Amino acid sequence: MTTSDKLYEQLQQRLEQEHGMLSRELKHEMLLNTLVPSATAIEDAELSELIVMAKSAFIPNLFDLAVRMERIDAAVCSVKLGMYGLCVDCEDEIAIEDLEKDPAQPRCSSCREHSRYHHDN
Protein backbone atom coordinates (compact mmCIF):
# COMPACT_ATOMS: atom_id res chain seq x y z
CA MET A 1 0.00 0.00 0.00
CA THR A 2 1.44 3.37 -1.03
CA THR A 3 1.58 6.45 1.18
CA SER A 4 -1.21 8.10 -0.80
CA ASP A 5 -3.38 4.96 -0.42
CA LYS A 6 -2.86 5.13 3.34
CA LEU A 7 -3.76 8.82 3.39
CA TYR A 8 -6.94 8.18 1.41
CA GLU A 9 -7.85 5.34 3.75
CA GLN A 10 -7.38 7.63 6.78
CA LEU A 11 -9.48 10.35 5.13
CA GLN A 12 -12.20 7.84 4.35
CA GLN A 13 -12.21 6.69 7.98
CA ARG A 14 -12.55 10.32 9.10
CA LEU A 15 -15.52 10.72 6.75
CA GLU A 16 -17.22 7.59 8.09
CA GLN A 17 -16.70 8.75 11.68
CA GLU A 18 -18.01 12.24 10.98
CA HIS A 19 -20.95 10.77 9.06
CA GLY A 20 -21.99 8.68 12.07
CA MET A 21 -21.50 11.55 14.51
CA LEU A 22 -23.40 14.07 12.38
CA SER A 23 -26.22 11.63 11.75
CA ARG A 24 -26.71 11.14 15.51
CA GLU A 25 -26.39 14.88 16.17
CA LEU A 26 -28.87 15.78 13.42
CA LYS A 27 -31.43 13.31 14.78
CA HIS A 28 -30.92 14.58 18.33
CA GLU A 29 -31.29 18.23 17.31
CA MET A 30 -34.43 17.46 15.35
CA LEU A 31 -35.96 15.83 18.42
CA LEU A 32 -34.96 18.77 20.62
CA ASN A 33 -36.57 21.19 18.18
CA THR A 34 -39.65 18.94 17.86
CA LEU A 35 -39.39 18.78 14.09
CA VAL A 36 -40.58 15.18 14.14
CA PRO A 37 -43.20 13.59 16.39
CA SER A 38 -41.03 10.87 17.92
CA ALA A 39 -37.67 9.16 18.02
CA THR A 40 -39.22 6.30 16.07
CA ALA A 41 -40.20 8.67 13.27
CA ILE A 42 -36.61 9.88 13.10
CA GLU A 43 -35.18 6.37 13.00
CA ASP A 44 -37.65 5.38 10.26
CA ALA A 45 -36.91 8.43 8.08
CA GLU A 46 -34.36 8.40 5.28
CA LEU A 47 -31.31 10.60 5.86
CA SER A 48 -32.20 12.68 2.81
CA GLU A 49 -35.65 13.39 4.32
CA LEU A 50 -34.09 14.48 7.60
CA ILE A 51 -31.70 16.80 5.78
CA VAL A 52 -34.53 18.44 3.83
CA MET A 53 -36.60 18.90 7.01
CA ALA A 54 -33.64 20.33 8.91
CA LYS A 55 -32.71 22.75 6.10
CA SER A 56 -36.28 23.99 5.79
CA ALA A 57 -36.72 24.52 9.56
CA PHE A 58 -35.03 27.95 9.47
CA ILE A 59 -33.07 27.16 12.64
CA PRO A 60 -29.51 28.34 11.92
CA ASN A 61 -27.51 25.67 13.77
CA LEU A 62 -29.78 22.91 12.44
CA PHE A 63 -29.44 24.28 8.90
CA ASP A 64 -25.62 24.33 9.19
CA LEU A 65 -25.62 20.79 10.58
CA ALA A 66 -27.80 19.58 7.68
CA VAL A 67 -25.57 21.27 5.09
CA ARG A 68 -22.46 19.62 6.57
CA MET A 69 -24.25 16.27 6.74
CA GLU A 70 -25.17 16.62 3.08
CA ARG A 71 -21.52 17.24 2.13
CA ILE A 72 -20.24 14.36 4.25
CA ASP A 73 -22.88 12.02 2.87
CA ALA A 74 -21.92 12.97 -0.70
CA ALA A 75 -18.25 12.29 0.07
CA VAL A 76 -19.08 8.90 1.61
CA CYS A 77 -21.08 8.07 -1.54
CA SER A 78 -18.12 9.08 -3.71
CA VAL A 79 -15.94 6.64 -1.73
CA LYS A 80 -18.42 3.83 -2.42
CA LEU A 81 -18.46 4.72 -6.13
CA GLY A 82 -14.66 4.82 -6.34
CA MET A 83 -14.72 8.54 -7.16
CA TYR A 84 -13.37 9.90 -3.87
CA GLY A 85 -10.75 12.60 -4.29
CA LEU A 86 -11.95 13.57 -7.75
CA CYS A 87 -13.45 16.99 -8.43
CA VAL A 88 -17.22 16.89 -9.00
CA ASP A 89 -16.86 19.50 -11.75
CA CYS A 90 -13.79 18.58 -13.80
CA GLU A 91 -12.92 15.12 -12.38
CA ASP A 92 -9.28 16.12 -11.78
CA GLU A 93 -7.71 15.00 -8.53
CA ILE A 94 -8.29 17.19 -5.49
CA ALA A 95 -5.01 18.06 -3.77
CA ILE A 96 -4.37 15.84 -0.77
CA GLU A 97 -3.70 18.98 1.30
CA ASP A 98 -7.23 20.19 0.54
CA LEU A 99 -8.71 16.82 1.52
CA GLU A 100 -6.71 16.80 4.73
CA LYS A 101 -8.24 20.18 5.64
CA ASP A 102 -11.73 18.95 4.74
CA PRO A 103 -12.20 15.31 3.71
CA ALA A 104 -15.59 16.26 2.23
CA GLN A 105 -14.10 18.82 -0.17
CA PRO A 106 -15.94 18.22 -3.47
CA ARG A 107 -13.90 20.47 -5.78
CA CYS A 108 -10.30 21.02 -6.82
CA SER A 109 -8.82 24.45 -6.11
CA SER A 110 -9.20 25.56 -9.71
CA CYS A 111 -12.92 24.75 -9.83
CA ARG A 112 -13.46 26.27 -6.37
CA GLU A 113 -11.90 29.51 -7.60
CA HIS A 114 -13.85 29.44 -10.85
CA SER A 115 -17.22 28.66 -9.27
CA ARG A 116 -16.93 30.50 -5.94
CA TYR A 117 -19.93 32.66 -6.80
CA HIS A 118 -22.05 29.72 -7.88
CA HIS A 119 -21.33 27.04 -5.26
CA ASP A 120 -20.42 26.69 -1.61
CA ASN A 121 -16.75 25.92 -1.08
Side-chain angles (χ1 to χ4, degrees), residues 19-64:
H19 190 275
M21 180 201 66
L22 285 173
S23 179
R24 288 186 299 276
E25 189 176 348
L26 181 63
K27 291 174 182 180
H28 177 73
E29 287 294 320
M30 291 184 77
L31 266 177
L32 286 177
N33 289 287
T34 61
L35 294 178
V36 290
S38 69
T40 303
I42 287 178
E43 290 305 319
D44 292 344
E46 294 286 327
L47 181 60
S48 59
E49 295 171 327
L50 296 175
I51 290 170
V52 168
M53 283 189 282
K55 287 174 77 174
S56 62
F58 302 109
I59 301 170
N61 67 325
L62 194 55
F63 179 86
D64 293 344

Short mmCIF file of all heavy atoms in Angstrom, two decimals, residues 19-64:
data_model
loop_
_atom_site.label_atom_id
_atom_site.label_comp_id
_atom_site.label_asym_id
_atom_site.label_seq_id
_atom_site.Cartn_x
_atom_site.Cartn_y
_atom_site.Cartn_z
N HIS A 19 -19.61 11.11 9.56
CA HIS A 19 -20.95 10.77 9.06
C HIS A 19 -21.80 10.21 10.21
O HIS A 19 -22.94 10.65 10.41
CB HIS A 19 -20.85 9.76 7.92
CG HIS A 19 -22.12 9.53 7.19
ND1 HIS A 19 -23.07 8.63 7.63
CD2 HIS A 19 -22.61 10.08 6.05
CE1 HIS A 19 -24.08 8.64 6.78
NE2 HIS A 19 -23.83 9.51 5.82
N GLY A 20 -21.25 9.26 10.95
CA GLY A 20 -21.99 8.68 12.07
C GLY A 20 -22.30 9.70 13.14
O GLY A 20 -23.43 9.77 13.65
N MET A 21 -21.32 10.53 13.49
CA MET A 21 -21.50 11.55 14.51
C MET A 21 -22.55 12.58 14.09
O MET A 21 -23.45 12.92 14.86
CB MET A 21 -20.17 12.25 14.81
CG MET A 21 -20.26 13.32 15.87
SD MET A 21 -18.90 14.51 15.79
CE MET A 21 -19.21 15.31 14.24
N LEU A 22 -22.45 13.06 12.86
CA LEU A 22 -23.40 14.07 12.38
C LEU A 22 -24.81 13.50 12.26
O LEU A 22 -25.79 14.20 12.54
CB LEU A 22 -22.96 14.63 11.03
CG LEU A 22 -21.80 15.61 11.05
CD1 LEU A 22 -21.37 15.94 9.63
CD2 LEU A 22 -22.16 16.86 11.81
N SER A 23 -24.91 12.26 11.86
CA SER A 23 -26.22 11.63 11.75
C SER A 23 -26.91 11.59 13.12
O SER A 23 -28.08 11.95 13.26
CB SER A 23 -26.07 10.22 11.19
OG SER A 23 -27.32 9.58 11.10
N ARG A 24 -26.16 11.17 14.14
CA ARG A 24 -26.71 11.14 15.51
C ARG A 24 -27.05 12.55 16.00
O ARG A 24 -28.12 12.78 16.57
CB ARG A 24 -25.72 10.47 16.46
CG ARG A 24 -25.60 8.97 16.27
CD ARG A 24 -24.73 8.31 17.32
NE ARG A 24 -23.35 8.79 17.31
CZ ARG A 24 -22.40 8.33 16.52
NH1 ARG A 24 -22.67 7.39 15.64
NH2 ARG A 24 -21.17 8.80 16.58
N GLU A 25 -26.16 13.50 15.73
CA GLU A 25 -26.39 14.88 16.17
C GLU A 25 -27.60 15.50 15.47
O GLU A 25 -28.41 16.19 16.10
CB GLU A 25 -25.13 15.72 15.92
CG GLU A 25 -25.19 17.09 16.52
CD GLU A 25 -23.90 17.88 16.35
OE1 GLU A 25 -22.86 17.29 15.96
OE2 GLU A 25 -23.93 19.09 16.59
N LEU A 26 -27.74 15.25 14.18
CA LEU A 26 -28.87 15.78 13.42
C LEU A 26 -30.18 15.23 13.98
O LEU A 26 -31.13 15.98 14.22
CB LEU A 26 -28.73 15.42 11.94
CG LEU A 26 -29.82 15.91 11.00
CD1 LEU A 26 -29.85 17.43 10.96
CD2 LEU A 26 -29.60 15.36 9.60
N LYS A 27 -30.22 13.93 14.23
CA LYS A 27 -31.43 13.31 14.78
C LYS A 27 -31.75 13.88 16.17
O LYS A 27 -32.91 14.18 16.47
CB LYS A 27 -31.27 11.80 14.84
CG LYS A 27 -31.25 11.16 13.47
CD LYS A 27 -30.93 9.69 13.55
CE LYS A 27 -30.87 9.08 12.15
NZ LYS A 27 -30.56 7.64 12.18
N HIS A 28 -30.73 14.05 16.98
CA HIS A 28 -30.92 14.58 18.33
C HIS A 28 -31.46 16.01 18.28
O HIS A 28 -32.41 16.35 18.99
CB HIS A 28 -29.59 14.53 19.09
CG HIS A 28 -29.64 15.11 20.45
ND1 HIS A 28 -30.26 14.47 21.51
CD2 HIS A 28 -29.17 16.28 20.94
CE1 HIS A 28 -30.17 15.24 22.58
NE2 HIS A 28 -29.50 16.34 22.26
N GLU A 29 -30.85 16.84 17.44
CA GLU A 29 -31.29 18.23 17.31
C GLU A 29 -32.72 18.34 16.77
O GLU A 29 -33.48 19.21 17.18
CB GLU A 29 -30.34 19.03 16.41
CG GLU A 29 -29.01 19.33 17.06
CD GLU A 29 -29.13 20.27 18.25
OE1 GLU A 29 -29.93 21.23 18.19
OE2 GLU A 29 -28.43 20.04 19.25
N MET A 30 -33.07 17.44 15.88
CA MET A 30 -34.43 17.46 15.35
C MET A 30 -35.44 17.10 16.43
O MET A 30 -36.52 17.66 16.49
CB MET A 30 -34.54 16.54 14.14
CG MET A 30 -33.77 17.10 12.95
SD MET A 30 -33.95 16.14 11.48
CE MET A 30 -35.58 16.65 10.98
N LEU A 31 -35.08 16.16 17.30
CA LEU A 31 -35.96 15.83 18.42
C LEU A 31 -36.08 17.00 19.38
O LEU A 31 -37.17 17.33 19.84
CB LEU A 31 -35.42 14.61 19.18
CG LEU A 31 -35.96 13.26 18.78
CD1 LEU A 31 -35.27 12.16 19.57
CD2 LEU A 31 -37.46 13.18 18.93
N LEU A 32 -34.95 17.64 19.70
CA LEU A 32 -34.96 18.77 20.62
C LEU A 32 -35.82 19.92 20.10
O LEU A 32 -36.47 20.61 20.87
CB LEU A 32 -33.54 19.29 20.86
CG LEU A 32 -32.65 18.43 21.75
CD1 LEU A 32 -31.25 19.05 21.83
CD2 LEU A 32 -33.23 18.27 23.13
N ASN A 33 -35.80 20.11 18.79
CA ASN A 33 -36.57 21.19 18.18
C ASN A 33 -37.96 20.74 17.74
O ASN A 33 -38.64 21.47 17.04
CB ASN A 33 -35.80 21.76 16.99
CG ASN A 33 -34.60 22.55 17.44
OD1 ASN A 33 -34.73 23.65 17.96
ND2 ASN A 33 -33.41 21.99 17.27
N THR A 34 -38.34 19.55 18.16
CA THR A 34 -39.65 18.94 17.86
C THR A 34 -40.05 19.06 16.39
O THR A 34 -41.17 19.40 16.06
CB THR A 34 -40.77 19.51 18.76
OG1 THR A 34 -40.88 20.92 18.54
CG2 THR A 34 -40.52 19.22 20.21
N LEU A 35 -39.11 18.76 15.52
CA LEU A 35 -39.39 18.78 14.09
C LEU A 35 -40.03 17.48 13.62
O LEU A 35 -40.57 17.42 12.52
CB LEU A 35 -38.12 19.04 13.30
CG LEU A 35 -37.50 20.41 13.50
CD1 LEU A 35 -36.22 20.54 12.71
CD2 LEU A 35 -38.47 21.50 13.09
N VAL A 36 -39.94 16.46 14.43
CA VAL A 36 -40.58 15.18 14.14
C VAL A 36 -41.31 14.72 15.39
O VAL A 36 -40.92 15.08 16.50
CB VAL A 36 -39.56 14.12 13.68
CG1 VAL A 36 -39.02 14.42 12.32
CG2 VAL A 36 -38.44 13.98 14.67
N PRO A 37 -42.37 13.94 15.24
CA PRO A 37 -43.20 13.59 16.39
C PRO A 37 -42.55 12.66 17.40
O PRO A 37 -42.90 12.69 18.58
CB PRO A 37 -44.44 12.94 15.77
CG PRO A 37 -44.01 12.51 14.41
CD PRO A 37 -42.91 13.44 13.99
N SER A 38 -41.60 11.83 16.97
CA SER A 38 -41.03 10.87 17.92
C SER A 38 -39.66 10.39 17.45
O SER A 38 -39.29 10.57 16.29
CB SER A 38 -41.96 9.65 18.05
OG SER A 38 -41.95 8.92 16.83
N ALA A 39 -38.97 9.75 18.36
CA ALA A 39 -37.67 9.16 18.02
C ALA A 39 -37.85 8.06 16.98
O ALA A 39 -36.99 7.88 16.11
CB ALA A 39 -36.99 8.62 19.27
N THR A 40 -38.95 7.35 17.04
CA THR A 40 -39.22 6.30 16.07
C THR A 40 -39.36 6.88 14.67
O THR A 40 -38.85 6.32 13.70
CB THR A 40 -40.51 5.52 16.45
OG1 THR A 40 -40.35 5.01 17.77
CG2 THR A 40 -40.78 4.39 15.48
N ALA A 41 -40.04 8.01 14.57
CA ALA A 41 -40.20 8.67 13.27
C ALA A 41 -38.85 9.08 12.69
O ALA A 41 -38.63 8.99 11.48
CB ALA A 41 -41.12 9.88 13.40
N ILE A 42 -37.95 9.50 13.55
CA ILE A 42 -36.61 9.88 13.10
C ILE A 42 -35.85 8.66 12.61
O ILE A 42 -35.23 8.68 11.57
CB ILE A 42 -35.83 10.60 14.22
CG1 ILE A 42 -36.38 11.99 14.42
CG2 ILE A 42 -34.33 10.66 13.90
CD1 ILE A 42 -35.71 12.77 15.51
N GLU A 43 -35.91 7.59 13.38
CA GLU A 43 -35.18 6.37 13.00
C GLU A 43 -35.73 5.78 11.71
O GLU A 43 -34.99 5.17 10.95
CB GLU A 43 -35.23 5.34 14.13
CG GLU A 43 -34.41 5.73 15.35
CD GLU A 43 -32.95 6.04 15.03
OE1 GLU A 43 -32.33 5.33 14.22
OE2 GLU A 43 -32.42 7.01 15.60
N ASP A 44 -37.03 5.94 11.46
CA ASP A 44 -37.65 5.38 10.26
C ASP A 44 -37.44 6.24 9.01
O ASP A 44 -37.61 5.78 7.90
CB ASP A 44 -39.16 5.18 10.48
CG ASP A 44 -39.45 4.08 11.49
OD1 ASP A 44 -38.53 3.28 11.80
OD2 ASP A 44 -40.59 4.03 11.98
N ALA A 45 -37.06 7.50 9.21
CA ALA A 45 -36.91 8.43 8.08
C ALA A 45 -35.58 8.19 7.36
O ALA A 45 -34.58 7.80 7.97
CB ALA A 45 -36.97 9.87 8.58
N GLU A 46 -35.59 8.45 6.08
CA GLU A 46 -34.36 8.40 5.28
C GLU A 46 -33.51 9.62 5.65
O GLU A 46 -34.06 10.69 5.98
CB GLU A 46 -34.69 8.46 3.79
CG GLU A 46 -35.44 7.26 3.27
CD GLU A 46 -34.55 6.03 3.15
OE1 GLU A 46 -33.35 6.19 2.86
OE2 GLU A 46 -35.07 4.94 3.39
N LEU A 47 -32.21 9.48 5.56
CA LEU A 47 -31.31 10.60 5.86
C LEU A 47 -31.62 11.80 4.98
O LEU A 47 -31.65 12.93 5.45
CB LEU A 47 -29.86 10.17 5.70
CG LEU A 47 -28.81 11.23 6.00
CD1 LEU A 47 -28.93 11.72 7.45
CD2 LEU A 47 -27.43 10.70 5.73
N SER A 48 -31.90 11.57 3.72
CA SER A 48 -32.20 12.68 2.81
C SER A 48 -33.45 13.45 3.27
O SER A 48 -33.51 14.67 3.15
CB SER A 48 -32.38 12.19 1.38
OG SER A 48 -33.43 11.24 1.30
N GLU A 49 -34.45 12.74 3.80
CA GLU A 49 -35.65 13.39 4.32
C GLU A 49 -35.33 14.25 5.53
O GLU A 49 -35.83 15.37 5.67
CB GLU A 49 -36.71 12.35 4.71
CG GLU A 49 -37.25 11.55 3.56
CD GLU A 49 -38.12 10.39 4.01
OE1 GLU A 49 -37.88 9.80 5.09
OE2 GLU A 49 -39.08 10.09 3.29
N LEU A 50 -34.48 13.73 6.41
CA LEU A 50 -34.09 14.48 7.60
C LEU A 50 -33.34 15.75 7.22
O LEU A 50 -33.54 16.81 7.80
CB LEU A 50 -33.25 13.62 8.53
CG LEU A 50 -33.93 12.40 9.13
CD1 LEU A 50 -32.94 11.57 9.93
CD2 LEU A 50 -35.12 12.80 9.99
N ILE A 51 -32.47 15.64 6.23
CA ILE A 51 -31.70 16.80 5.78
C ILE A 51 -32.63 17.87 5.22
O ILE A 51 -32.50 19.05 5.56
CB ILE A 51 -30.63 16.38 4.74
CG1 ILE A 51 -29.52 15.58 5.44
CG2 ILE A 51 -30.05 17.60 4.03
CD1 ILE A 51 -28.54 14.91 4.49
N VAL A 52 -33.58 17.47 4.40
CA VAL A 52 -34.53 18.44 3.83
C VAL A 52 -35.34 19.10 4.94
O VAL A 52 -35.51 20.33 4.95
CB VAL A 52 -35.47 17.75 2.81
CG1 VAL A 52 -36.63 18.64 2.43
CG2 VAL A 52 -34.68 17.35 1.57
N MET A 53 -35.83 18.33 5.90
CA MET A 53 -36.60 18.90 7.01
C MET A 53 -35.75 19.88 7.81
O MET A 53 -36.20 20.97 8.16
CB MET A 53 -37.13 17.80 7.94
CG MET A 53 -38.33 17.06 7.40
SD MET A 53 -39.07 15.97 8.64
CE MET A 53 -37.95 14.59 8.60
N ALA A 54 -34.52 19.49 8.11
CA ALA A 54 -33.64 20.33 8.91
C ALA A 54 -33.30 21.63 8.17
O ALA A 54 -33.29 22.71 8.78
CB ALA A 54 -32.36 19.57 9.26
N LYS A 55 -33.05 21.55 6.88
CA LYS A 55 -32.71 22.75 6.10
C LYS A 55 -33.90 23.69 5.98
O LYS A 55 -33.73 24.90 5.91
CB LYS A 55 -32.19 22.36 4.72
CG LYS A 55 -30.79 21.78 4.78
CD LYS A 55 -30.33 21.26 3.44
CE LYS A 55 -29.92 22.36 2.51
NZ LYS A 55 -29.35 21.84 1.25
N SER A 56 -35.10 23.15 5.95
CA SER A 56 -36.28 23.99 5.79
C SER A 56 -36.86 24.48 7.12
O SER A 56 -37.85 25.21 7.14
CB SER A 56 -37.36 23.25 4.99
OG SER A 56 -37.78 22.10 5.69
N ALA A 57 -36.22 24.14 8.23
CA ALA A 57 -36.72 24.52 9.56
C ALA A 57 -36.38 25.96 9.91
O ALA A 57 -36.93 26.51 10.86
CB ALA A 57 -36.17 23.59 10.62
N PHE A 58 -35.46 26.57 9.21
CA PHE A 58 -35.03 27.95 9.47
C PHE A 58 -34.47 28.13 10.88
O PHE A 58 -34.65 29.17 11.50
CB PHE A 58 -36.17 28.95 9.20
CG PHE A 58 -36.67 28.87 7.80
CD1 PHE A 58 -37.91 28.34 7.53
CD2 PHE A 58 -35.89 29.30 6.74
CE1 PHE A 58 -38.38 28.24 6.22
CE2 PHE A 58 -36.33 29.22 5.43
CZ PHE A 58 -37.59 28.69 5.17
N ILE A 59 -33.79 27.10 11.37
CA ILE A 59 -33.07 27.16 12.64
C ILE A 59 -31.59 27.12 12.25
O ILE A 59 -31.12 26.10 11.74
CB ILE A 59 -33.45 25.97 13.55
CG1 ILE A 59 -34.96 25.99 13.83
CG2 ILE A 59 -32.63 26.00 14.84
CD1 ILE A 59 -35.48 24.73 14.52
N PRO A 60 -30.87 28.23 12.45
CA PRO A 60 -29.51 28.34 11.92
C PRO A 60 -28.58 27.17 12.22
O PRO A 60 -27.95 26.65 11.31
CB PRO A 60 -28.99 29.64 12.54
CG PRO A 60 -30.23 30.45 12.77
CD PRO A 60 -31.29 29.44 13.15
N ASN A 61 -28.46 26.75 13.47
CA ASN A 61 -27.51 25.67 13.77
C ASN A 61 -27.96 24.35 13.15
O ASN A 61 -27.14 23.55 12.73
CB ASN A 61 -27.28 25.52 15.27
CG ASN A 61 -28.51 25.03 16.01
OD1 ASN A 61 -29.65 25.37 15.66
ND2 ASN A 61 -28.30 24.24 17.05
N LEU A 62 -29.26 24.13 13.06
CA LEU A 62 -29.78 22.91 12.44
C LEU A 62 -29.54 22.95 10.92
O LEU A 62 -29.17 21.94 10.32
CB LEU A 62 -31.27 22.76 12.75
CG LEU A 62 -31.90 21.42 12.46
CD1 LEU A 62 -31.16 20.28 13.15
CD2 LEU A 62 -33.36 21.43 12.90
N PHE A 63 -29.71 24.11 10.33
CA PHE A 63 -29.44 24.28 8.90
C PHE A 63 -27.97 23.98 8.60
O PHE A 63 -27.65 23.22 7.68
CB PHE A 63 -29.78 25.71 8.45
CG PHE A 63 -29.50 25.95 7.00
CD1 PHE A 63 -30.46 25.63 6.04
CD2 PHE A 63 -28.29 26.50 6.59
CE1 PHE A 63 -30.21 25.85 4.69
CE2 PHE A 63 -28.04 26.71 5.24
CZ PHE A 63 -28.99 26.38 4.28
N ASP A 64 -27.06 24.56 9.39
CA ASP A 64 -25.62 24.33 9.19
C ASP A 64 -25.27 22.86 9.36
O ASP A 64 -24.45 22.31 8.59
CB ASP A 64 -24.80 25.17 10.17
CG ASP A 64 -24.91 26.66 9.89
OD1 ASP A 64 -25.36 27.05 8.80
OD2 ASP A 64 -24.57 27.44 10.81
#
